[in-house]
């Protein structure tokens, strides 16, 4: 089995040592989410914006007879809005039994990595990154930041204090400026 970051084919000692990540992008940044946490990749979708919703809520989409709330990864990261169409991944938080969409610029392929390659977040990472990121993998093409899908769940995001009130009364995904 070929594992990202290794020049040769390695024999895996334990099945639990390997994780498959779906690569996804926001601007030029590469992120990864465990493929077992993704219910479906919907591809490009038009979103219906929800008036007076927090900035990190991209809108809602129809999904198999349900209305799914979508979370905008760019807004969570404090990036400018994407001008083109976006891709939606359907995620499910088993603990709170909540299904939601994650809006990203693009979805790449599936990458297999060794769990041992995951490096911890640096201590200098701002609060938003500490909240959203599980660590990072050094890949041949650059850094892949691992996202925790449970931390991206709309109801959990609403509970955090990382996103401060905006002047219009909604939530603002911009970083705290002290």
């Amino acid at each position: 089995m070929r594992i990202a970051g290794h020049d040769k084919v390695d024999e895996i000692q334990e099945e639990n040592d390997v994780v498959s990540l779906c690569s996804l992008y926001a601007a030029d940044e590469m992120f990864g989410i465990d493929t077992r946490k993704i219910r479906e990749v919907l591809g490009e979708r038009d979103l219906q914006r929800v008036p007076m919703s927090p900035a990190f809520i991209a809108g809602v989409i129809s999904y198999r007879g349900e209305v799914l709330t979508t979370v905008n990864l760019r807004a969570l990261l404090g990036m400018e809005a994407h001008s083109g169409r976006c891709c939606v991944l359907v995620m499910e938080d088993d603990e709170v039994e909540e299904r939601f969409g994650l809006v990203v610029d693009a979805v790449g392929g599936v990458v297999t990595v060794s769990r041992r390659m995951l490096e911890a977040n640096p201590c200098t990472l701002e609060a938003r990154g500490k909240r959203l990121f599980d660590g990072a993998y050094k890949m041949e093409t650059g850094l892949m930041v691992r996202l925790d899908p449970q931390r991206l769940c709309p109801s959990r995001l609403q509970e955090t204090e990382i996103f401060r009130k905006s002047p219009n009364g909604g939530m603002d995904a911009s970083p705290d400026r002290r």
Side-chain angles (χ1 to χ4, degrees):
M1 172 180 284
R2 175 136 174 87
I3 299 179
H6 292 268
D7 292 333
K8 59 181 181 164
V9 176
D10 291 330
E11 188 173 318
I12 304 302
Q13 299 298 327
E14 298 179 28
E15 188 174 314
N16 292 337
D17 182 45
V18 176
V19 64
S20 293
L21 301 172
C22 177
S23 61
L24 46 109
Y25 299 87
D28 293 332
E29 305 296 326
M30 180 171 47
F31 299 90
I33 293 181
D34 189 329
T35 56
R36 296 173 297 175
K37 305 293 183 180
I38 300 171
R39 185 173 186 87
E40 190 171 349
V41 177
L42 298 179
E44 291 184 352
R45 295 291 165 135
D46 290 321
L47 303 172
Q48 291 295 129
R49 183 79 180 126
V50 179
M52 298 181 65
S53 63
F56 62 82
I57 300 297
V60 294
I61 59 169
S62 177
Y63 174 71
R64 299 181 187 260
E66 292 180 56
V67 175
L68 281 187
T69 300
T70 60
V71 174
N72 186 330
L73 182 59
R74 276 180 170 256
L76 289 176
L77 300 172
M79 294 178 171
E80 292 181 21
H82 183 61
S83 59
R85 291 186 66 165
C86 301
C87 294
V88 177
L89 289 88
V90 178
M91 316 292 291
E92 193 160 35
D93 186 339
D94 295 328
E95 287 183 24
V96 294
E97 297 179 6
E98 183 176 354
R99 192 175 297 154
F100 64 97
L102 178 64
V103 176
V104 299
D105 293 355
V107 176
V110 174
V111 179
T112 305
V113 295
S114 169
R115 291 185 193 278
R116 294 178 291 193
M117 289 176 52
L118 182 65
E119 296 189 17
N121 289 327
C123 63
T124 56
L125 191 62
E126 68 174 23
R128 175 185 327 205
K130 287 179 183 176
R131 170 79 174 117
L132 299 174
F133 307 157
D134 275 346
Y137 294 96
K138 290 181 182 173
M139 310 297 283
E140 293 172 6
T141 57
L143 202 61
M144 176 186 278
V145 177
R146 183 175 166 144
L147 298 171
D148 181 346
Q150 287 185 326
R151 295 178 186 172
L152 299 169
C153 181
S155 61
R156 292 178 192 257
L157 288 168
Q158 192 69 23
E159 295 170 358
T160 66
E161 294 182 21
I162 294 173
F163 304 100
R164 61 183 169 80
K165 294 275 184 192
S166 69
N168 66 2
M171 298 299 283
D172 185 357
S174 61
D176 288 334
R177 304 212 196 289
R178 297 181 186 187

